[in-house]
Amino acid sequence: MKFSEYEYKRVDVNEVVSKVSDLKEAFINALSANEQIKIIDQYNVIRGHVDTSFSLASIRNSIDTTDEFYEKEMDFINENAPLLENAFNDFSKAMFNSKFKDELIKEYGEYLFKKIELGLKTFDESIIPLLVEENKLTTEYQKKMATLKVPFDGKEYTLVQMSKFNQDINRETRKSAQEAISKVMLDNLDEFDSIYDKLVKVRHEQAIKLGYENYVDLGYAKLGRTDYDSKMVKGYRDQIYNSVVDKAQEIINDQKIRLGYDELKYYDLALSFMTGNPTPKGNREELVNIAKKMYKEMSKETDEFFTFMTEHELMDLDNRPSKAPGGYCTYISDYKSPFIFASFNQTQGDVDVLTHEAGHAFQVYQSKDIKVPEYLWPTLEACEIHSMSMEFFAHPWMEDFFKEDLEKYIYSHISEAITFIPYGATVDEFQHFVYENPTATPYERRMKWREIENKYLPHKDYDGNEYYENGAYWIRQGHIFSSPFYYIDYTLAQVCALQFFIKSIENKEEAWADYVRLCKVGGSKSFIELVKVANLDNPFVDGTIKKVMEKVMIELNKIDAKNL
């Protein structure tokens, strides 16, 4: 079957709640662990059907945010998902309190019950109305961002489509493009501020109802973080400040010299070379064909995986009006199918997103036969190791994508991996401020963003631009609205992916074996345990980042970027 033939059925909420309730009672009254295991199997089938329905609706809604049918289905899901979560939560309680728990741990592993315990701390029936409101607000933000139009040079463009102008070799074009974007964002600033303010307050209210001091610990629990806390994350951010910020500034300064400017303004940052940024040489169909060749040659595992993706048409990569911005990979349970979503825009990001999201898809394809749904995906920071590392494993094939721009691409990819890390720390420190100070005004939040931005990204010169000087850059970072505290996960994964990059240079076969082993265990272990499985150094250990940065800078400096 092709993805277009995958059947969408709206979940009958009452029927699911009733079935889960019956299974819960049968589970409690079961006379043996084996009987309970059979009931858990039935329960997991039901959850698979629900996940499939929700995934198909979400994918098709993001493919066309103006499709009225799937827009209504997403409204239905936003209204009813918390009711289903309540039913699933009750079943989880029964599992956690099972009289045969020791035998269930032998069957499923102790980590599942750690995850259940943490999950039980994130939900109560009393917060269902607040969860419904949160879902509505995040959907409102996503639709607003997807439908914004930027007037530029006599035409209208989406935010995604404007990316190519931000990288134009003509400085006035870049500046005009950024000013056009910021004007549209400034015109809508009050609305974005209002949406986020409501989100912060509704999340804080959830935390209070569940007995937390604020949303920080609740947010960590929702992300399934069992082996590190906010204090460890602060220490990790300190490592970034001490060991990455200066390296990132070296890269930015080299960029300024390459471009030949006395000062680097915000509208210059997206251009790496005066001869133009690296661009993929081909349209969407041609790039996918190159990817087929790459994954065929990379390994038998990647060949099987990518053949499955293309034969079942499980990628939507074209950029169209009303298509949601961004890229993602999700999973359609009943069809055991990963799905990749992106919006190509003729920049190097087209290749990056294809390899990145393929890394996610490859991992879940490798772990799709794990019988415990909670183990299909790891927690998000571990998920991003698979995606970011795949970008580096793809380096030997980048000449096929970029031709004469190969060296430009390799330099850009490594340097952007480094300069990204302080930005990720900026987003994380900002979110900690926001949820530790839930009564802060929108203006106070934006001023705090500007302060933190100056700390980690001291090169940001907004040249008097009203929107950015007002500390509103973060509004385009959708994770801040939809997934609190997720963004630091990208940096943790980047530190791990950079280790895979170094290992792939030192011993390619060993690095790939470690990577495939990591993918196959899925989410059956916590983040720090998965780092051990992959034979990587723990990013939280003081000194890890310094060591990684020193090795990566050696590789970066092998490229004579000033002559590109």
Side-chain angles (χ1 to χ4, degrees):
M1 291 176 68
K2 312 293 187 190
F3 170 74
S4 58
E5 299 170 315
Y6 288 9
E7 185 181 6
Y8 171 74
K9 287 184 180 178
R10 177 185 276 199
V11 171
D12 185 328
V13 175
N14 291 332
E15 182 182 357
V16 170
V17 169
S18 176
K19 283 183 176 178
V20 171
S21 177
D22 290 345
L23 287 174
K24 182 193 73 173
E25 292 305 315
F27 181 91
I28 291 170
N29 296 320
L31 301 177
S32 69
N34 283 337
E35 194 178 337
Q36 288 192 334
I37 289 167
K38 288 177 182 176
I39 293 168
I40 291 171
D41 288 343
Q42 296 175 59
Y43 167 64
N44 286 337
V45 168
I46 292 172
R47 281 201 296 165
H49 294 332
V50 172
D51 287 344
T52 297
S53 177
F54 285 12
S55 292
L56 287 172
S58 178
I59 292 167
R60 288 171 178 160
N61 174 247
S62 61
I63 286 172
D64 181 3
T65 59
T66 62
D67 184 310
E68 290 185 7
F69 176 80
Y70 284 109
E71 185 176 14
K72 288 176 182 174
E73 292 309 289
M74 287 308 297
D75 288 342
F76 170 82
I77 289 169
N78 289 338
E79 287 278 354
N80 290 280
L83 300 174
L84 293 170
E85 188 177 349
N86 187 43
F88 296 157
N89 191 64
D90 283 347
F91 193 92
S92 293
K93 281 181 186 174
M95 281 182 65
F96 190 74
N97 295 315
S98 168
K99 52 183 174 282
F100 306 109
K101 188 174 177 182
D102 288 345
E103 292 168 78
L104 295 182
I105 287 174
K106 287 178 185 175
E107 176 73 13
Y108 299 113
E110 189 174 1
Y111 184 50
L112 174 62
F113 290 87
K114 286 183 179 179
K115 287 171 72 76
I116 290 173
E117 183 178 19
L118 203 56
L120 292 174
K121 295 176 181 178
T122 69
F123 185 84
D124 183 83
E125 199 169 352
S126 64
I127 68 167
I128 287 178
L130 298 172
L131 292 171
V132 171
E133 180 64 17
E134 181 182 8
N135 287 342
K136 286 181 179 176
L137 288 165
T138 55
T139 301
E140 183 182 348
Y141 165 79
Q142 289 161 357
K143 184 174 182 183
K144 180 75 178 172
M145 288 294 288
T147 55
L148 277 181
K149 296 291 187 292
V150 181
F152 183 69
D153 199 23
K155 296 180 181 178
E156 281 194 336
Y157 298 90
T158 65
L159 290 171
V160 172
Q161 291 168 334
M162 287 297 293
S163 298
K164 60 184 177 183
F165 301 116
N166 296 338
Q167 300 178 26
D168 197 279
I169 60 172
N170 184 292
R171 199 178 198 191
E172 282 305 312
T173 299
R174 297 197 304 274
K175 183 178 181 182
S176 298
Q178 286 283 11
E179 287 174 345
I181 292 168
S182 57
K183 183 183 185 308
V184 168
M185 295 299 292
L186 186 62
D187 290 344
N188 290 275
L189 180 58
D190 287 346
E191 187 173 351
F192 284 122
D193 269 343
S194 174
I195 292 170
Y196 191 60
D197 193 57
K198 290 173 185 174
L199 273 170
V200 171
K201 287 178 169 51
V202 80
R203 286 169 177 153
H204 181 70
E205 191 175 346
Q206 290 172 29
I208 297 303
K209 281 184 177 289
L210 291 171
Y212 294 92
E213 181 181 352
N214 55 46
Y215 189 78
V216 175
D217 286 341
L218 175 55
Y220 274 52
K222 279 177 170 284
L223 289 169
R225 295 174 176 172
T226 59
D227 49 7
Y228 63 95
D229 57 22
S230 57
K231 289 181 181 177
M232 292 170 69
V233 170
K234 183 186 182 304
Y236 168 74
R237 289 199 310 265
D238 289 343
Q239 279 196 78
I240 292 173
Y241 181 72
N242 293 324
S243 299
V244 187
V245 170
D246 60 335
K247 303 289 189 299
Q249 293 311 301
E250 284 179 35
I251 291 168
I252 297 295
N253 191 55
D254 287 346
Q255 180 183 1
K256 181 181 73 172
I257 294 168
R258 276 199 313 278
L259 296 180
Y261 298 137
D262 293 331
E263 295 179 317
L264 210 60
K265 304 296 185 182
Y266 73 102
Y267 44 80
D268 298 319
L269 294 172
L271 180 69
S272 293
F273 307 97
M274 281 308 292
T275 51
N277 283 4
T279 54
K281 311 307 177 188
N283 56 30
R284 189 263 307 156
E285 183 180 358
E286 290 166 330
L287 295 182
V288 170
N289 285 333
I290 294 169
K292 282 182 189 176
K293 173 179 176 289
M294 174 178 72
Y295 287 122
K296 184 176 182 61
E297 295 173 356
M298 190 178 287
S299 73
K300 67 181 190 307
E301 296 98 341
T302 49
D303 182 25
E304 177 192 319
F305 147 72
F306 206 71
T307 299
F308 179 85
M309 296 295 290
T310 52
E311 286 183 351
H312 295 270
E313 297 179 356
L314 291 162
M315 296 182 286
D316 190 297
L317 307 173
D318 291 311
N319 186 4
R320 297 183 296 274
S322 301
K323 186 176 180 179
Y328 65 76
C329 170
T330 189
Y331 185 70
I332 309 164
S333 298
D334 286 352
Y335 298 93
K336 290 193 173 183
S337 296
F339 186 90
I340 292 174
F341 173 96
S343 295
F344 280 9
N345 57 11
Q346 298 84 52
T347 69
Q348 77 172 60
D350 295 350
V351 176
D352 289 340
V353 78
L354 184 55
T355 54
H356 180 99
E357 301 305 340
H360 287 307
F362 177 69
Q363 175 266 301
V364 77
Y365 186 81
Q366 291 300 304
S367 59
K368 68 183 187 304
D369 294 322
I370 295 177
K371 64 181 290 187
V372 182
E374 286 83 357
Y375 291 168
L376 271 174
W377 299 100
T379 46
L380 295 174
E381 72 292 272
C383 277
E384 298 303 337
I385 300 175
H386 312 122
S387 55
M388 290 180 163
S389 299
M390 180 63 85
E391 295 178 36
F392 287 108
F393 281 118
H395 273 196
W397 290 270
M398 285 301 107
E399 187 171 5
D400 293 339
F401 288 102
F402 289 98
K403 310 296 185 194
E404 68 274 12
D405 283 350
L406 172 64
E407 278 197 303
K408 280 186 183 180
Y409 173 77
I410 299 297
Y411 180 86
S412 295
H413 187 234
I414 300 169
S415 62
E416 287 168 13
I418 297 167
T419 57
F420 165 76
I421 293 173
Y423 173 69
T426 303
V427 172
D428 189 67
E429 192 161 316
F430 172 67
Q431 290 187 100
H432 278 82
F433 167 80
V434 166
Y435 290 105
E436 287 166 7
N437 300 273
T439 60
T441 65
Y443 175 78
E444 288 169 336
R445 285 188 202 112
R446 287 190 272 107
M447 290 302 98
K448 191 65 177 181
W449 169 267
R450 196 70 187 96
E451 176 190 324
I452 298 169
E453 196 176 36
N454 281 325
K455 172 182 173 182
Y456 290 101
L457 311 167
H459 61 276
K460 281 289 187 86
D461 180 349
Y462 288 127
D463 199 26
N465 182 292
E466 182 181 356
Y467 177 73
Y468 295 118
E469 294 288 10
N470 268 302
Y473 182 96
W474 59 271
I475 287 172
R476 284 189 64 185
Q477 193 62 64
H479 304 73
I480 293 175
F481 285 79
S482 62
S483 307
F485 301 112
Y486 175 6
Y487 213 69
I488 198 69
D489 295 14
Y490 287 110
T491 73
L492 287 162
Q494 192 69 275
V495 171
C496 294
L498 287 168
Q499 292 182 66
F500 267 128
F501 168 55
I502 298 299
K503 288 172 71 169
S504 69
I505 294 169
E506 296 171 347
N507 189 325
K508 182 180 176 182
E509 289 74 21
E510 187 178 292
W512 181 252
D514 286 342
Y515 177 74
V516 173
R517 184 171 60 255
L518 175 68
C519 291
K520 285 184 180 296
V521 299
S524 59
K525 298 178 184 297
S526 65
F527 171 66
I528 292 175
E529 288 299 313
L530 288 172
V531 168
K532 290 177 185 175
V533 166
N535 291 320
L536 301 173
D537 292 333
N538 182 353
F540 291 111
V541 173
D542 196 32
T544 293
I545 295 178
K546 184 174 187 291
K547 182 172 79 171
V548 171
M549 284 301 121
E550 287 172 351
K551 289 187 175 183
V552 173
M553 289 301 289
I554 290 171
E555 294 302 319
L556 181 67
N557 290 329
K558 288 179 181 177
I559 302 172
D560 185 10
K562 64 179 179 292
N563 291 319
L564 294 176

